[in-house]
Amino acid sequence: MDISTIAIAIHAFFGKFIMFYMIIIITVYSSMLIFAFFHIRRDIKVDKLFSAEESLEMIYSKPVSILVPAYNEELGVIDTVHSLMTLHYPLFEIIVINDGSKDNTLQVTIDHFKMEPVERTIKVDLQTNEIVGLYQSTIHPNIILIDKVNGGKADALNAGINVARFPYFCSIDGDSILDKTSLLRVMKPIVSSDGEVIAAGGSVRIANGADVQLGTVLKTTVPNKPIVIMQIIEYFRAFYMGRIALSKYNLVLIISGAFSVFSKKWVVDAGGYSTKTIGEDMELVVKLHRLIYDKKSKKRIAFVPDPVCWTEAPDDIKGLRTQRRRWHQGLFGSLMLHRGMLFNPKYKRIGFISLPYFWIIEFFGPMIELLGYFYILISLLVGNIYFDSIVIMTGLFLIYSTFLSVCSILLEAWSTTNYPRWRDIGKLLLFSLTETFWFRPMTILFRLEGIFYYLTKREVWGSLERKGLSKQKEMPDE
Amino acid sequence: MVNVTVLQWALITCIVLLSFIFLIILYLILKRWLQKQREQYIEAYFNKYLDVWHDYLLNGNKSVSFNTSHRKEYNNFLAIDRIFSHYVTTVHNEDVKIRISQYAEVHFKKEYRAMLYDNNWGNRMNALYRIFHFNLAFLVDDVCKLLQKKRYKNVEEYTLMLKIMAKYDETLVVSHLLKPKLPLNEYHYKHIVFYLPEQFYKMLTQYFEDMPYSLKISFLEYFTYKPSMDEKMLEFYEAQLHSDDPEIRIRVLKAISKFGLISNIEKYEPFKTSMLWEERMLYTRIVTKADLQFAVEQLRQLICDSSWWVRKGAAYSLFHLKSGPQILQQIIDEGNDPFAVQAAQEILKVD
């Protein structure tokens, strides 16, 4: 057997392997899409005003502590807290945790909300870095500020959990903004299940370019920056397709750290957020699933597509790289920490469906996609005999990917009962057609870098430059 | 080379997917256009008639332009319905609800009835919400018929129907409460029970032992939010203190702690040494109803409890007693128990 025969055989093998993997992806995503379609379609006509109103009475709700970990968030933290203050919810407190910021996050918050130091006995359920000071707003007594020694997001959240008075807490990023009824809606599965649901996450939307005034998103539009447009499409696919299906069967392993609610008791029992991994939000959810099975409980973790959290997405390549590298590193870390659950009969659906999905599709996906790109390149270089088939197959996957993106736009429109402008549809469609040629290869490399960082034990959060979501109004000359 | 048949299928799939993409985009553009048309119409309607409606709903004044504001067009109905929804959820005024209900009965009976009998679940839920919030009594018989024919798709719809019946004809609700046609949990029962008239609720106590567990729990919570207890109800609640179920005992203690009324503190003393911190904590609230000296003595013991919540509860109750702050200061000065001192210090500084 000569080298060329071996090379052809290897080439054919990889071709079949990639084809087989793509068929799995198409089957899984198509199933998720069909499921999400029926789920969202059912609720499309329900008047959200009244369905939220019925949960507004104290008797039906549970009080919530909203935790806002903030590290160098001087630009965004005030808007975030303002948006939280306008939430329609019977009883809640807002706890901002300044995690040793190097900018003016602490002073800005103290000055704006007229905060004063307070003494409070803190029940230390979770070990954290030292809390240096505790403040309470004199104008809004339900706003608390924790000043602590830097320890990372997980450590900050754990400190917040210790200080929290209420049985449920909501974790939200320091630059995020919630819709008025978001908390009501994300708490609904928890409240309506009598506590069977112990954690719930809401969907996250990108607010870059939106009109934000005093912590409220007044108007949204698809911005012109290609990187942001691509992320909008990605977020639609992730939230309106993937998580709905997983949630129905209690298979969700990620509820966004940007906006999620947890039972304090269960999180404390699980040991709180792990400071050992960068992907602390996913790791906590996996840990909760583990605890549910260990306790032989019927508790669930849900995703609610309806409530919305607005967040700032990175708008340059450097920021995107940092984010995606961190996400994939966190994913790898969480999967490795709980590798004992994989195919373990004790963990039933999580062990046999959810974790394999996250390993095969979410984790190995970038590597196999990269292999796919190389395969296409080599096939094209080999000669014309493969050219037609490569073009058709590539075209098929490209069109399928665009089809998923367009369906996600439709699902988002149904979920929010707000149909996008035709200009925005055009932008999203155009860029989803180009995704395969530049955005996906780029993010694949960033995600592979995350794997490299994990393997070389580089725990670097990196910094994302925040521009803040509020438009700075120019004051007229006096 | 990939098999020709596979390529053909790939091509066909591409065409089918492209067709779907095209149709979805067309659908989105059309829906956007329709939505925009409707919103522009409604906005124009608001600009023209909102003040008129405001004057009518709040003051009962029907100006000349009032009669022109309800021409029978569907978009008019949507606009007016939206006005009703806004006022009902932001203005807590019974006269507003009466006017809405009267107007809807005269002008929109057909529209709301059509909504109630729609095949689409979302539309039916919207009709039920409106029957409940707008007080559309003229549709209650329809709801009753739908209930009897089991014309509900899921527990949300079923609960909302029962909630409406609890408000308008509570006698029909009893059988559903005791033997629900769909499994109801505490949350669902609360939505129904909370709207029962108080006299009817008292009558239901005779069925307490036959109630499903979730109903018992919700039932006991009733007086936590409607503190108008009388001696007979207090007797019923205190009888449940002997229940083997800790959840029932906790709910009872919680309700009684809100009453401001107990028969005899001796019935509650065993909870001072309960294994459950919740019961001990609730005891710290109830004991304040007893003789002052006794209450102070009990709370001084409980402020040294092993549970943080119980200590906090004891400190809070002590603070609100006569000479409470002085007693707390004494505890601090004595310094016998560091946890008690901490609890006392915190409550004196915060309040």
Side-chain angles (χ1 to χ4, degrees), chain A residues 10-21:
Chain A
I10 293 172
H11 183 261
F13 168 76
F14 275 114
K16 288 193 172 98
F17 172 74
I18 290 162
M19 185 68 73
F20 176 68
Y21 183 82

PDB file of all heavy atoms in Angstrom, chain A residues 10-21:
ATOM      1  N   ILE A  10      -7.278   7.991   4.664  1.00  0.00           N
ATOM      2  CA  ILE A  10      -7.418   8.880   5.828  1.00  0.00           C
ATOM      3  C   ILE A  10      -8.370  10.027   5.491  1.00  0.00           C
ATOM      4  O   ILE A  10      -9.243  10.401   6.287  1.00  0.00           O
ATOM      5  CB  ILE A  10      -6.044   9.439   6.272  1.00  0.00           C
ATOM      6  CG1 ILE A  10      -5.170   8.320   6.830  1.00  0.00           C
ATOM      7  CG2 ILE A  10      -6.208  10.550   7.324  1.00  0.00           C
ATOM      8  CD1 ILE A  10      -3.733   8.709   7.116  1.00  0.00           C
ATOM      9  N   HIS A  11      -8.183  10.586   4.308  1.00  0.00           N
ATOM     10  CA  HIS A  11      -9.032  11.696   3.863  1.00  0.00           C
ATOM     11  C   HIS A  11     -10.503  11.275   3.840  1.00  0.00           C
ATOM     12  O   HIS A  11     -11.391  11.997   4.302  1.00  0.00           O
ATOM     13  CB  HIS A  11      -8.552  12.142   2.478  1.00  0.00           C
ATOM     14  CG  HIS A  11      -9.314  13.333   1.967  1.00  0.00           C
ATOM     15  ND1 HIS A  11     -10.350  13.203   1.065  1.00  0.00           N
ATOM     16  CD2 HIS A  11      -9.205  14.649   2.247  1.00  0.00           C
ATOM     17  CE1 HIS A  11     -10.836  14.417   0.806  1.00  0.00           C
ATOM     18  NE2 HIS A  11     -10.150  15.305   1.509  1.00  0.00           N
ATOM     19  N   ALA A  12     -10.735  10.073   3.300  1.00  0.00           N
ATOM     20  CA  ALA A  12     -12.117   9.566   3.218  1.00  0.00           C
ATOM     21  C   ALA A  12     -12.690   9.343   4.616  1.00  0.00           C
ATOM     22  O   ALA A  12     -13.850   9.661   4.890  1.00  0.00           O
ATOM     23  CB  ALA A  12     -12.154   8.269   2.418  1.00  0.00           C
ATOM     24  N   PHE A  13     -11.832   8.795   5.493  1.00  0.00           N
ATOM     25  CA  PHE A  13     -12.287   8.535   6.870  1.00  0.00           C
ATOM     26  C   PHE A  13     -12.706   9.841   7.544  1.00  0.00           C
ATOM     27  O   PHE A  13     -13.785   9.929   8.147  1.00  0.00           O
ATOM     28  CB  PHE A  13     -11.173   7.849   7.672  1.00  0.00           C
ATOM     29  CG  PHE A  13     -11.459   7.821   9.153  1.00  0.00           C
ATOM     30  CD1 PHE A  13     -12.384   6.930   9.680  1.00  0.00           C
ATOM     31  CD2 PHE A  13     -10.827   8.698  10.022  1.00  0.00           C
ATOM     32  CE1 PHE A  13     -12.669   6.911  11.025  1.00  0.00           C
ATOM     33  CE2 PHE A  13     -11.105   8.689  11.381  1.00  0.00           C
ATOM     34  CZ  PHE A  13     -12.029   7.789  11.879  1.00  0.00           C
ATOM     35  N   PHE A  14     -11.869  10.871   7.436  1.00  0.00           N
ATOM     36  CA  PHE A  14     -12.207  12.145   8.070  1.00  0.00           C
ATOM     37  C   PHE A  14     -13.444  12.750   7.455  1.00  0.00           C
ATOM     38  O   PHE A  14     -14.264  13.371   8.129  1.00  0.00           O
ATOM     39  CB  PHE A  14     -11.028  13.120   8.008  1.00  0.00           C
ATOM     40  CG  PHE A  14     -10.061  12.925   9.135  1.00  0.00           C
ATOM     41  CD1 PHE A  14      -8.765  12.487   8.893  1.00  0.00           C
ATOM     42  CD2 PHE A  14     -10.437  13.137  10.448  1.00  0.00           C
ATOM     43  CE1 PHE A  14      -7.874  12.276   9.944  1.00  0.00           C
ATOM     44  CE2 PHE A  14      -9.560  12.927  11.499  1.00  0.00           C
ATOM     45  CZ  PHE A  14      -8.267  12.497  11.246  1.00  0.00           C
ATOM     46  N   GLY A  15     -13.572  12.565   6.147  1.00  0.00           N
ATOM     47  CA  GLY A  15     -14.768  13.061   5.474  1.00  0.00           C
ATOM     48  C   GLY A  15     -16.013  12.441   6.058  1.00  0.00           C
ATOM     49  O   GLY A  15     -16.998  13.132   6.377  1.00  0.00           O
ATOM     50  N   LYS A  16     -15.988  11.121   6.241  1.00  0.00           N
ATOM     51  CA  LYS A  16     -17.160  10.411   6.783  1.00  0.00           C
ATOM     52  C   LYS A  16     -17.390  10.811   8.244  1.00  0.00           C
ATOM     53  O   LYS A  16     -18.533  10.990   8.672  1.00  0.00           O
ATOM     54  CB  LYS A  16     -16.953   8.896   6.693  1.00  0.00           C
ATOM     55  CG  LYS A  16     -17.043   8.372   5.272  1.00  0.00           C
ATOM     56  CD  LYS A  16     -17.159   6.848   5.228  1.00  0.00           C
ATOM     57  CE  LYS A  16     -17.447   6.393   3.820  1.00  0.00           C
ATOM     58  NZ  LYS A  16     -16.265   5.940   3.096  1.00  0.00           N
ATOM     59  N   PHE A  17     -16.285  10.960   8.985  1.00  0.00           N
ATOM     60  CA  PHE A  17     -16.399  11.319  10.402  1.00  0.00           C
ATOM     61  C   PHE A  17     -17.066  12.686  10.537  1.00  0.00           C
ATOM     62  O   PHE A  17     -17.984  12.869  11.342  1.00  0.00           O
ATOM     63  CB  PHE A  17     -15.014  11.320  11.061  1.00  0.00           C
ATOM     64  CG  PHE A  17     -15.025  11.858  12.459  1.00  0.00           C
ATOM     65  CD1 PHE A  17     -15.540  11.111  13.511  1.00  0.00           C
ATOM     66  CD2 PHE A  17     -14.546  13.131  12.740  1.00  0.00           C
ATOM     67  CE1 PHE A  17     -15.569  11.611  14.806  1.00  0.00           C
ATOM     68  CE2 PHE A  17     -14.564  13.631  14.034  1.00  0.00           C
ATOM     69  CZ  PHE A  17     -15.079  12.877  15.067  1.00  0.00           C
ATOM     70  N   ILE A  18     -16.603  13.641   9.723  1.00  0.00           N
ATOM     71  CA  ILE A  18     -17.163  14.995   9.799  1.00  0.00           C
ATOM     72  C   ILE A  18     -18.626  14.977   9.371  1.00  0.00           C
ATOM     73  O   ILE A  18     -19.485  15.623   9.979  1.00  0.00           O
ATOM     74  CB  ILE A  18     -16.343  15.976   8.941  1.00  0.00           C
ATOM     75  CG1 ILE A  18     -14.974  16.206   9.603  1.00  0.00           C
ATOM     76  CG2 ILE A  18     -17.050  17.319   8.765  1.00  0.00           C
ATOM     77  CD1 ILE A  18     -13.934  16.780   8.692  1.00  0.00           C
ATOM     78  N   MET A  19     -18.914  14.214   8.342  1.00  0.00           N
ATOM     79  CA  MET A  19     -20.301  14.088   7.873  1.00  0.00           C
ATOM     80  C   MET A  19     -21.174  13.504   8.988  1.00  0.00           C
ATOM     81  O   MET A  19     -22.273  13.998   9.260  1.00  0.00           O
ATOM     82  CB  MET A  19     -20.322  13.179   6.644  1.00  0.00           C
ATOM     83  CG  MET A  19     -21.684  13.069   6.004  1.00  0.00           C
ATOM     84  SD  MET A  19     -22.212  14.615   5.255  1.00  0.00           S
ATOM     85  CE  MET A  19     -21.161  14.650   3.847  1.00  0.00           C
ATOM     86  N   PHE A  20     -20.679  12.475   9.633  1.00  0.00           N
ATOM     87  CA  PHE A  20     -21.421  11.820  10.705  1.00  0.00           C
ATOM     88  C   PHE A  20     -21.672  12.805  11.851  1.00  0.00           C
ATOM     89  O   PHE A  20     -22.776  12.906  12.385  1.00  0.00           O
ATOM     90  CB  PHE A  20     -20.629  10.597  11.192  1.00  0.00           C
ATOM     91  CG  PHE A  20     -21.257   9.902  12.359  1.00  0.00           C
ATOM     92  CD1 PHE A  20     -22.465   9.222  12.216  1.00  0.00           C
ATOM     93  CD2 PHE A  20     -20.653   9.916  13.610  1.00  0.00           C
ATOM     94  CE1 PHE A  20     -23.055   8.585  13.285  1.00  0.00           C
ATOM     95  CE2 PHE A  20     -21.243   9.278  14.688  1.00  0.00           C
ATOM     96  CZ  PHE A  20     -22.448   8.602  14.523  1.00  0.00           C
ATOM     97  N   TYR A  21     -20.641  13.565  12.203  1.00  0.00           N
ATOM     98  CA  TYR A  21     -20.767  14.548  13.285  1.00  0.00           C
ATOM     99  C   TYR A  21     -21.793  15.614  12.912  1.00  0.00           C
ATOM    100  O   TYR A  21     -22.625  16.007  13.735  1.00  0.00           O
ATOM    101  CB  TYR A  21     -19.399  15.188  13.559  1.00  0.00           C
ATOM    102  CG  TYR A  21     -19.420  16.178  14.713  1.00  0.00           C
ATOM    103  CD1 TYR A  21     -19.337  15.736  16.030  1.00  0.00           C
ATOM    104  CD2 TYR A  21     -19.521  17.553  14.480  1.00  0.00           C
ATOM    105  CE1 TYR A  21     -19.369  16.625  17.089  1.00  0.00           C
ATOM    106  CE2 TYR A  21     -19.551  18.444  15.545  1.00  0.00           C
ATOM    107  CZ  TYR A  21     -19.467  17.974  16.831  1.00  0.00           C
ATOM    108  OH  TYR A  21     -19.488  18.865  17.896  1.00  0.00           O
TER     109      TYR A  21
END
